[in-house]
Short mmCIF file of all heavy atoms in Angstrom, two decimals:
data_model
loop_
_atom_site.label_atom_id
_atom_site.label_comp_id
_atom_site.label_asym_id
_atom_site.label_seq_id
_atom_site.Cartn_x
_atom_site.Cartn_y
_atom_site.Cartn_z
N ARG A 1 -107.95 -183.01 -4.57
CA ARG A 1 -108.86 -181.91 -4.80
C ARG A 1 -108.59 -180.81 -3.78
O ARG A 1 -108.09 -181.05 -2.69
CB ARG A 1 -110.31 -182.36 -4.73
CG ARG A 1 -110.76 -182.87 -3.37
CD ARG A 1 -112.14 -183.50 -3.48
NE ARG A 1 -112.66 -183.94 -2.20
CZ ARG A 1 -113.77 -184.63 -2.04
NH1 ARG A 1 -114.51 -184.96 -3.10
NH2 ARG A 1 -114.17 -184.98 -0.83
N GLN A 2 -108.95 -179.59 -4.17
CA GLN A 2 -108.76 -178.44 -3.30
C GLN A 2 -109.90 -177.45 -3.51
O GLN A 2 -110.13 -176.99 -4.63
CB GLN A 2 -107.42 -177.76 -3.56
CG GLN A 2 -107.08 -176.67 -2.56
CD GLN A 2 -105.63 -176.23 -2.67
OE1 GLN A 2 -105.01 -176.35 -3.72
NE2 GLN A 2 -105.10 -175.71 -1.58
N ALA A 3 -110.59 -177.15 -2.44
CA ALA A 3 -111.63 -176.14 -2.45
C ALA A 3 -111.06 -174.82 -1.94
O ALA A 3 -110.06 -174.81 -1.21
CB ALA A 3 -112.81 -176.58 -1.58
N PRO A 4 -111.66 -173.68 -2.30
CA PRO A 4 -111.16 -172.39 -1.83
C PRO A 4 -111.06 -172.34 -0.31
O PRO A 4 -111.99 -172.71 0.39
CB PRO A 4 -112.21 -171.40 -2.35
CG PRO A 4 -112.78 -172.06 -3.55
CD PRO A 4 -112.81 -173.53 -3.21
N GLY A 5 -109.91 -171.90 0.18
CA GLY A 5 -109.70 -171.80 1.61
C GLY A 5 -109.44 -173.11 2.31
O GLY A 5 -109.34 -173.14 3.54
N ARG A 6 -109.33 -174.19 1.56
CA ARG A 6 -109.10 -175.51 2.14
C ARG A 6 -107.73 -176.06 1.75
O ARG A 6 -107.14 -175.65 0.75
CB ARG A 6 -110.17 -176.50 1.66
CG ARG A 6 -111.59 -176.15 2.04
CD ARG A 6 -111.84 -176.33 3.53
NE ARG A 6 -113.26 -176.39 3.82
CZ ARG A 6 -113.91 -177.48 4.21
NH1 ARG A 6 -113.26 -178.61 4.38
NH2 ARG A 6 -115.21 -177.43 4.44
N GLU A 7 -107.25 -176.99 2.53
CA GLU A 7 -106.02 -177.70 2.19
C GLU A 7 -106.29 -178.68 1.06
O GLU A 7 -107.41 -179.16 0.88
CB GLU A 7 -105.49 -178.46 3.41
CG GLU A 7 -105.04 -177.58 4.56
CD GLU A 7 -103.77 -176.84 4.24
OE1 GLU A 7 -102.90 -177.40 3.55
OE2 GLU A 7 -103.64 -175.69 4.68
N ARG A 8 -105.26 -178.96 0.29
CA ARG A 8 -105.38 -179.98 -0.73
C ARG A 8 -105.66 -181.33 -0.07
O ARG A 8 -105.03 -181.69 0.93
CB ARG A 8 -104.09 -180.05 -1.56
CG ARG A 8 -104.18 -180.98 -2.76
CD ARG A 8 -102.90 -180.93 -3.56
NE ARG A 8 -101.77 -181.35 -2.77
CZ ARG A 8 -100.50 -181.11 -3.09
NH1 ARG A 8 -100.22 -180.45 -4.20
NH2 ARG A 8 -99.53 -181.54 -2.31
N GLU A 9 -106.58 -182.09 -0.64
CA GLU A 9 -107.08 -183.31 -0.04
C GLU A 9 -106.88 -184.49 -0.98
O GLU A 9 -107.21 -184.43 -2.16
CB GLU A 9 -108.58 -183.15 0.28
CG GLU A 9 -109.25 -184.38 0.84
CD GLU A 9 -110.75 -184.20 0.96
OE1 GLU A 9 -111.32 -183.36 0.22
OE2 GLU A 9 -111.36 -184.89 1.79
N PHE A 10 -106.36 -185.58 -0.44
CA PHE A 10 -106.23 -186.81 -1.20
C PHE A 10 -107.60 -187.38 -1.52
O PHE A 10 -108.50 -187.39 -0.68
CB PHE A 10 -105.42 -187.84 -0.40
CG PHE A 10 -105.41 -189.20 -1.02
CD1 PHE A 10 -104.61 -189.49 -2.11
CD2 PHE A 10 -106.23 -190.20 -0.53
CE1 PHE A 10 -104.60 -190.74 -2.69
CE2 PHE A 10 -106.24 -191.46 -1.10
CZ PHE A 10 -105.42 -191.72 -2.19
N VAL A 11 -107.75 -187.90 -2.74
CA VAL A 11 -109.01 -188.49 -3.18
C VAL A 11 -108.85 -189.97 -3.48
O VAL A 11 -109.57 -190.81 -2.93
CB VAL A 11 -109.57 -187.76 -4.41
CG1 VAL A 11 -110.84 -188.45 -4.91
CG2 VAL A 11 -109.86 -186.30 -4.07
N ALA A 12 -107.93 -190.31 -4.38
CA ALA A 12 -107.78 -191.69 -4.82
C ALA A 12 -106.42 -191.90 -5.44
O ALA A 12 -105.79 -190.96 -5.93
CB ALA A 12 -108.88 -192.05 -5.83
N ALA A 13 -105.96 -193.15 -5.44
CA ALA A 13 -104.69 -193.50 -6.06
C ALA A 13 -104.79 -194.87 -6.70
O ALA A 13 -105.61 -195.70 -6.29
CB ALA A 13 -103.56 -193.48 -5.03
N ILE A 14 -103.94 -195.11 -7.68
CA ILE A 14 -103.90 -196.38 -8.38
C ILE A 14 -102.46 -196.73 -8.68
O ILE A 14 -101.65 -195.88 -9.02
CB ILE A 14 -104.76 -196.31 -9.67
CG1 ILE A 14 -104.89 -197.68 -10.33
CG2 ILE A 14 -104.19 -195.28 -10.64
CD1 ILE A 14 -105.96 -197.73 -11.41
N THR A 15 -102.12 -198.01 -8.53
CA THR A 15 -100.77 -198.46 -8.80
C THR A 15 -100.48 -198.42 -10.29
O THR A 15 -101.38 -198.29 -11.13
CB THR A 15 -100.56 -199.88 -8.26
OG1 THR A 15 -101.58 -200.74 -8.76
CG2 THR A 15 -100.61 -199.89 -6.74
N ARG A 16 -99.21 -198.55 -10.63
CA ARG A 16 -98.81 -198.34 -12.02
C ARG A 16 -99.43 -199.34 -12.99
O ARG A 16 -99.66 -199.01 -14.16
CB ARG A 16 -97.28 -198.36 -12.14
CG ARG A 16 -96.63 -199.67 -11.72
CD ARG A 16 -95.12 -199.51 -11.77
NE ARG A 16 -94.42 -200.74 -11.40
CZ ARG A 16 -93.12 -200.87 -11.38
NH1 ARG A 16 -92.34 -199.83 -11.70
NH2 ARG A 16 -92.56 -202.02 -11.03
N GLY A 17 -99.72 -200.53 -12.53
CA GLY A 17 -100.38 -201.52 -13.37
C GLY A 17 -101.89 -201.51 -13.27
O GLY A 17 -102.56 -202.23 -14.01
N GLY A 18 -102.42 -200.73 -12.35
CA GLY A 18 -103.86 -200.65 -12.16
C GLY A 18 -104.45 -201.75 -11.31
O GLY A 18 -105.68 -201.83 -11.18
N GLY A 19 -103.61 -202.57 -10.69
CA GLY A 19 -104.10 -203.70 -9.95
C GLY A 19 -104.63 -203.38 -8.56
O GLY A 19 -105.41 -204.15 -8.01
N SER A 20 -104.20 -202.26 -8.00
CA SER A 20 -104.63 -201.88 -6.66
C SER A 20 -105.04 -200.42 -6.64
O SER A 20 -104.44 -199.59 -7.32
CB SER A 20 -103.51 -202.10 -5.64
OG SER A 20 -103.18 -203.47 -5.54
N THR A 21 -106.06 -200.12 -5.85
CA THR A 21 -106.55 -198.75 -5.71
C THR A 21 -106.76 -198.43 -4.25
O THR A 21 -106.91 -199.32 -3.41
CB THR A 21 -107.85 -198.53 -6.47
OG1 THR A 21 -108.85 -199.45 -5.99
CG2 THR A 21 -107.65 -198.77 -7.96
N TYR A 22 -106.79 -197.15 -3.94
CA TYR A 22 -107.01 -196.69 -2.58
C TYR A 22 -107.80 -195.40 -2.63
O TYR A 22 -107.53 -194.53 -3.45
CB TYR A 22 -105.68 -196.48 -1.85
CG TYR A 22 -105.85 -196.11 -0.40
CD1 TYR A 22 -106.22 -197.07 0.53
CD2 TYR A 22 -105.63 -194.81 0.04
CE1 TYR A 22 -106.38 -196.74 1.86
CE2 TYR A 22 -105.79 -194.47 1.37
CZ TYR A 22 -106.16 -195.44 2.28
OH TYR A 22 -106.32 -195.12 3.59
N PHE A 23 -108.79 -195.26 -1.73
CA PHE A 23 -109.69 -194.12 -1.73
C PHE A 23 -109.76 -193.48 -0.36
O PHE A 23 -109.69 -194.16 0.66
CB PHE A 23 -111.10 -194.53 -2.15
CG PHE A 23 -111.18 -195.11 -3.54
CD1 PHE A 23 -111.05 -196.47 -3.74
CD2 PHE A 23 -111.37 -194.29 -4.63
CE1 PHE A 23 -111.12 -197.01 -5.01
CE2 PHE A 23 -111.45 -194.81 -5.91
CZ PHE A 23 -111.32 -196.18 -6.10
N ALA A 24 -109.93 -192.17 -0.37
CA ALA A 24 -110.23 -191.47 0.86
C ALA A 24 -111.59 -191.92 1.38
O ALA A 24 -112.49 -192.25 0.61
CB ALA A 24 -110.23 -189.96 0.64
N ASP A 25 -111.75 -191.92 2.70
CA ASP A 25 -113.02 -192.34 3.29
C ASP A 25 -114.20 -191.51 2.77
O ASP A 25 -115.31 -192.02 2.63
CB ASP A 25 -112.95 -192.24 4.81
CG ASP A 25 -112.09 -193.32 5.43
OD1 ASP A 25 -111.80 -194.33 4.76
OD2 ASP A 25 -111.69 -193.15 6.60
N SER A 26 -113.95 -190.25 2.48
CA SER A 26 -115.01 -189.36 2.06
C SER A 26 -115.61 -189.71 0.71
O SER A 26 -116.73 -189.30 0.40
CB SER A 26 -114.51 -187.91 2.03
OG SER A 26 -113.42 -187.78 1.14
N VAL A 27 -114.88 -190.47 -0.11
CA VAL A 27 -115.37 -190.82 -1.44
C VAL A 27 -115.52 -192.31 -1.64
O VAL A 27 -116.01 -192.75 -2.70
CB VAL A 27 -114.45 -190.25 -2.54
CG1 VAL A 27 -114.27 -188.75 -2.36
CG2 VAL A 27 -113.10 -190.95 -2.56
N LYS A 28 -115.14 -193.10 -0.66
CA LYS A 28 -115.20 -194.55 -0.78
C LYS A 28 -116.62 -195.01 -1.07
O LYS A 28 -117.57 -194.59 -0.42
CB LYS A 28 -114.66 -195.19 0.50
CG LYS A 28 -114.23 -196.63 0.36
CD LYS A 28 -113.48 -197.09 1.62
CE LYS A 28 -112.20 -196.28 1.84
NZ LYS A 28 -111.46 -196.73 3.04
N GLY A 29 -116.75 -195.87 -2.07
CA GLY A 29 -118.05 -196.36 -2.46
C GLY A 29 -118.75 -195.51 -3.49
O GLY A 29 -119.76 -195.94 -4.06
N ARG A 30 -118.25 -194.30 -3.73
CA ARG A 30 -118.85 -193.40 -4.71
C ARG A 30 -117.95 -193.14 -5.91
O ARG A 30 -118.44 -192.96 -7.02
CB ARG A 30 -119.21 -192.06 -4.06
CG ARG A 30 -120.20 -192.18 -2.92
CD ARG A 30 -120.65 -190.80 -2.43
NE ARG A 30 -119.54 -190.01 -1.91
CZ ARG A 30 -119.14 -188.84 -2.41
NH1 ARG A 30 -119.77 -188.32 -3.46
NH2 ARG A 30 -118.13 -188.18 -1.86
N PHE A 31 -116.64 -193.10 -5.68
CA PHE A 31 -115.68 -192.80 -6.74
C PHE A 31 -114.92 -194.05 -7.14
O PHE A 31 -114.67 -194.94 -6.32
CB PHE A 31 -114.66 -191.75 -6.27
CG PHE A 31 -115.20 -190.36 -6.11
CD1 PHE A 31 -116.56 -190.09 -6.11
CD2 PHE A 31 -114.32 -189.30 -5.95
CE1 PHE A 31 -117.05 -188.81 -5.95
CE2 PHE A 31 -114.79 -188.01 -5.79
CZ PHE A 31 -116.15 -187.76 -5.79
N THR A 32 -114.50 -194.10 -8.40
CA THR A 32 -113.68 -195.17 -8.91
C THR A 32 -112.52 -194.59 -9.71
O THR A 32 -112.73 -193.70 -10.53
CB THR A 32 -114.49 -196.12 -9.81
OG1 THR A 32 -115.57 -196.69 -9.07
CG2 THR A 32 -113.60 -197.24 -10.34
N ILE A 33 -111.31 -195.08 -9.46
CA ILE A 33 -110.16 -194.66 -10.23
C ILE A 33 -109.75 -195.82 -11.13
O ILE A 33 -109.80 -196.99 -10.73
CB ILE A 33 -108.99 -194.21 -9.33
CG1 ILE A 33 -107.86 -193.61 -10.16
CG2 ILE A 33 -108.50 -195.35 -8.45
CD1 ILE A 33 -106.77 -192.94 -9.31
N SER A 34 -109.35 -195.51 -12.36
CA SER A 34 -108.91 -196.52 -13.29
C SER A 34 -107.88 -195.92 -14.23
O SER A 34 -107.70 -194.69 -14.27
CB SER A 34 -110.09 -197.10 -14.09
OG SER A 34 -110.72 -196.10 -14.86
N ARG A 35 -107.20 -196.76 -14.97
CA ARG A 35 -106.22 -196.24 -15.91
C ARG A 35 -106.19 -197.10 -17.16
O ARG A 35 -106.49 -198.30 -17.13
CB ARG A 35 -104.83 -196.16 -15.28
CG ARG A 35 -104.19 -197.50 -14.93
CD ARG A 35 -102.93 -197.29 -14.09
NE ARG A 35 -101.90 -196.56 -14.82
CZ ARG A 35 -100.87 -195.94 -14.25
NH1 ARG A 35 -100.74 -195.95 -12.92
NH2 ARG A 35 -99.98 -195.31 -15.00
N ASP A 36 -105.83 -196.48 -18.26
CA ASP A 36 -105.65 -197.15 -19.53
C ASP A 36 -104.27 -196.77 -20.01
O ASP A 36 -104.06 -195.71 -20.59
CB ASP A 36 -106.73 -196.72 -20.52
CG ASP A 36 -106.67 -197.50 -21.82
OD1 ASP A 36 -105.62 -198.09 -22.14
OD2 ASP A 36 -107.70 -197.53 -22.53
N ASN A 37 -103.31 -197.63 -19.74
CA ASN A 37 -101.93 -197.30 -20.07
C ASN A 37 -101.69 -197.20 -21.57
O ASN A 37 -100.81 -196.46 -22.01
CB ASN A 37 -100.98 -198.34 -19.45
CG ASN A 37 -100.87 -198.18 -17.95
OD1 ASN A 37 -101.28 -197.17 -17.38
ND2 ASN A 37 -100.30 -199.19 -17.29
N ALA A 38 -102.48 -197.92 -22.36
CA ALA A 38 -102.36 -197.81 -23.81
C ALA A 38 -102.74 -196.42 -24.31
O ALA A 38 -102.25 -195.98 -25.34
CB ALA A 38 -103.21 -198.87 -24.49
N LYS A 39 -103.63 -195.74 -23.57
CA LYS A 39 -104.05 -194.39 -23.92
C LYS A 39 -103.37 -193.33 -23.08
O LYS A 39 -103.68 -192.14 -23.22
CB LYS A 39 -105.57 -194.25 -23.77
CG LYS A 39 -106.36 -195.13 -24.72
CD LYS A 39 -107.85 -194.92 -24.54
CE LYS A 39 -108.64 -195.75 -25.52
NZ LYS A 39 -110.11 -195.56 -25.34
N ASN A 40 -102.46 -193.73 -22.21
CA ASN A 40 -101.75 -192.79 -21.33
C ASN A 40 -102.73 -191.92 -20.55
O ASN A 40 -102.54 -190.71 -20.42
CB ASN A 40 -100.79 -191.90 -22.12
CG ASN A 40 -99.61 -192.67 -22.66
OD1 ASN A 40 -99.31 -193.79 -22.25
ND2 ASN A 40 -98.89 -192.05 -23.60
#
C-alpha cells in the first residue's frame, strides 16, 4: 500500500500454494491474505 507522500509499504504475502503467509506488524491480527488458484 502507498499513501500520498509516503513510501510504498509491505502489507502481506502468501506462498504460491497458499500454505504460508506473512504480515506486516501494522496489520497483523487484522488482515488476512488468501488465494484461490482455480480462480486465479
Side-chain angles (χ1 to χ4, degrees):
R1 64 189 184 187
Q2 187 168 26
R6 299 289 197 109
E7 295 289 324
R8 187 177 61 196
E9 176 188 24
F10 171 78
V11 176
I14 188 167
T15 53
R16 61 185 181 179
S20 296
T21 59
Y22 185 74
F23 299 92
D25 288 342
S26 59
V27 306
K28 200 170 297 181
R30 300 187 298 119
F31 289 13
T32 300
I33 187 171
S34 62
R35 67 190 297 162
D36 186 339
N37 287 346
K39 296 181 178 180
N40 291 345

